[in-house]
Amino acid sequence: MDIHFADWLRLADIEDCQGDGDRLQLRWSGLENSIQDISSDQILNLALLFYRLPIDDEVADEFAGFFKDEDNTFPMIDNRLYLSCLAGAALGEVIQSQPETTEARLSALAVICPNCMGKNKISAIEEIVRRSWNALHSESASLRDLTKHSLNRSSVPNISTSLNSIKENFEIQTQLPQAYAPLEKILNGLAKSIKQTNQNNKYLNSQLELFREESDILWWLTTAVSKKLSVVFEDLNWPATTVILGVELAEMVRRFPGPLSYKELLARAIQLSGKEENEMIKISSVVSKLEKEFSSELESLYSENPALSLCPLIKSLVRSRGAKRQAEWLQPLKQEFSISNTTQFNCVDFAMQIYLETLLLRQFNAIQIEGE
């Protein structure tokens, strides 16, 4: 059991476990059952519950069922705040117990994105958000730590010596059983060599992907030209520049969760666009300057992605395309993520949020494709 579990429940003013170690253990058992063989869809649902975003009652009841199975006194009515804390704790446990896995990475992104760089105050457990940031940064650093990885030598068995032994045994009919031992030695040696070679190839391919990713990003910054719009950063419509830069950096990521220095890379790109890093912007200003072709591409790429429900900024950009009035997309943004038109973002933070949301959408797509 996580040492913070009881404190997380207390944060939400949930008292039915306080002073009752047995009931607290039952809650934890239900939590562990809920994340066994967890799927990407279940991770997204946990994040929706954690932030108390719109979700089907059947999905919420299914999650509550894990706790009801352990303790018949678990409340099934008016329990959304309770489920919010339990869902957050479940995501935190996935991140903690399965480090550097696809499930942990998706969980971390699913927690970070709705938080919207700290602008969304709906989440009850800030520790889960901090744990998610730490997990992403730790995995990114580990991925690029060359001291942790190396190539292992592949040893090929001496086939000629073993074959001569087999030949001699076959020439003497009575020695046929003895021919099996050197043959087995050859085959086992070859199998071991092939396995090691495959592991080395996998490692080399992963390093090649990293080098290609870094090369693409450095070339992007060196030329200071938008990959999608084919214009220099300085000619992009400010402050829509932040969206374009965030999306383009995320789409160059080949090994999730991307480079550890993404904040500095985006800050540098904004400098190359001729703007200051500390400039403050509002989402309505971004929407008004975003080119229709770019927002149309975002819509075509991600409008059907279930993870979009956890992406406040990109979801709002997609919603704004068909809206006749600003309130049609600003009001849901405020209701769901506590972000209004008066909310101001540091321009680098805005670009980082777009980058992280795009990573979440791409990561979910990648998981779906792998599972097909």
Side-chain angles (χ1 to χ4, degrees):
M1 183 187 302
D2 195 292
I3 60 173
H4 300 293
F5 186 47
D7 295 321
W8 292 339
L9 297 183
R10 197 176 296 116
L11 283 172
D13 295 325
I14 296 170
E15 301 293 342
D16 76 326
C17 293
Q18 308 311 319
D20 189 341
D22 291 340
R23 183 170 289 179
L24 189 66
Q25 184 58 56
L26 290 175
R27 296 288 182 268
W28 187 256
S29 296
L31 183 151
E32 288 184 316
N33 292 336
S34 74
I35 62 174
Q36 282 187 1
D37 302 318
I38 193 166
S39 69
S40 56
D41 289 321
Q42 289 172 320
I43 289 172
L44 297 189
N45 288 333
L46 287 177
L48 291 172
L49 284 170
F50 181 45
Y51 283 98
R52 302 196 287 284
L53 291 165
I55 192 170
D56 291 341
D57 290 337
E58 294 82 1
V59 175
D61 289 343
E62 182 180 356
F63 180 61
F66 287 104
F67 304 95
K68 192 73 170 178
D69 290 343
E70 297 293 324
D71 179 7
N72 197 46
T73 68
F74 185 82
M76 296 295 288
I77 300 175
D78 296 329
N79 60 0
R80 286 302 173 92
L81 180 58
Y82 206 157
L83 292 183
S84 170
C85 287
L86 292 171
L91 289 168
E93 182 60 13
V94 172
I95 294 166
Q96 188 84 359
S97 63
Q98 305 176 37
E100 299 187 18
T101 63
T102 300
E103 291 75 18
R105 188 184 316 120
L106 184 64
S107 297
L109 286 167
V111 168
I112 287 171
C113 288
N115 183 254
C116 205
M117 307 305 292
K119 302 294 183 182
N120 183 3
K121 303 300 182 183
I122 291 178
S123 61
I125 310 173
E126 290 300 322
E127 171 60 29
I128 302 299
V129 180
R130 287 192 293 270
R131 182 176 292 186
S132 300
W133 280 110
N134 291 338
L136 279 189
H137 292 165
S138 176
E139 183 179 7
S140 183
S142 174
L143 193 63
R144 288 157 175 79
D145 184 359
L146 296 180
T147 64
K148 294 182 63 176
H149 309 278
S150 61
L151 292 174
N152 293 315
R153 183 177 178 181
S154 244
S155 58
V156 180
N158 189 329
I159 297 177
S160 60
T161 301
S162 297
L163 286 177
N164 286 334
S165 177
I166 292 172
K167 181 181 178 181
E168 291 172 2
N169 288 326
F170 269 109
E171 288 174 350
I172 305 173
Q173 294 295 321
T174 57
Q175 298 299 315
L176 281 176
Q178 283 77 359
Y180 178 74
L183 183 60
E184 182 183 35
K185 184 178 179 181
I186 290 175
L187 294 176
N188 286 340
L190 287 173
K192 185 177 180 181
S193 177
I194 291 170
K195 181 179 179 181
Q196 186 58 62
T197 300
N198 287 337
Q199 290 175 346
N200 287 342
N201 286 338
K202 184 177 180 180
Y203 168 71
L204 288 173
N205 285 333
S206 70
Q207 291 303 304
L208 181 61
E209 290 289 283
L210 279 178
F211 295 151
R212 178 65 186 274
E213 174 185 299
E214 292 169 356
S215 174
D216 288 345
I217 292 171
L218 290 175
W219 184 250
W220 178 67
L221 283 177
T222 300
T223 60
V225 173
S226 165
K227 294 172 70 70
K228 289 182 174 294
L229 302 180
S230 299
V231 298
V232 297
F233 293 170
E234 284 185 314
D235 290 343
L236 295 173
N237 293 329
W238 183 261
T241 308
T242 54
V243 175
I244 297 164
L245 297 178
V247 169
E248 290 191 355
L249 179 60
E251 290 187 348
M252 283 185 281
V253 169
R254 291 171 175 266
R255 293 293 307 280
F256 295 105
L260 184 61
S261 57
Y262 61 91
K263 180 178 182 178
E264 289 74 20
L265 293 170
L266 288 169
R268 178 58 179 157
I270 286 173
Q271 285 179 348
L272 292 171
S273 74
K275 299 297 180 180
E276 297 293 332
E277 297 177 45
N278 57 359
E279 184 164 340
M280 305 301 289
I281 58 177
K282 295 188 298 184
I283 187 168
S284 59
S285 302
V286 173
V287 169
S288 67
K289 293 295 183 179
L290 191 63
E291 295 193 24
K292 292 181 179 179
E293 292 79 6
F294 194 90
S295 56
S296 176
E297 182 176 352
L298 286 179
E299 183 178 27
S300 64
L301 284 174
Y302 302 123
S303 62
E304 301 300 320
N305 191 315
L308 187 64
S309 298
L310 301 173
C311 302
L313 298 189
I314 293 181
K315 185 177 183 181
S316 296
L317 297 178
V318 170
R319 276 176 170 168
S320 69
R321 275 187 46 76
K324 295 180 180 179
R325 296 180 298 109
Q326 206 176 70
E328 291 180 27
W329 58 270
L330 272 177
Q331 188 172 353
L333 179 63
K334 185 175 182 179
Q335 290 174 340
E336 295 174 6
F337 300 99
S338 302
I339 298 168
S340 68
N341 191 37
T342 60
T343 304
Q344 291 195 328
F345 291 83
N346 174 282
C347 62
V348 175
D349 285 349
F350 198 97
M352 285 173 57
Q353 178 66 23
I354 293 291
Y355 166 82
L356 291 165
E357 290 182 13
T358 307
L359 274 190
L360 171 59
L361 294 164
R362 290 190 61 223
Q363 177 70 95
F364 187 82
N365 272 345
I367 293 170
Q368 298 299 100
I369 291 172
E370 288 174 4
E372 291 178 354

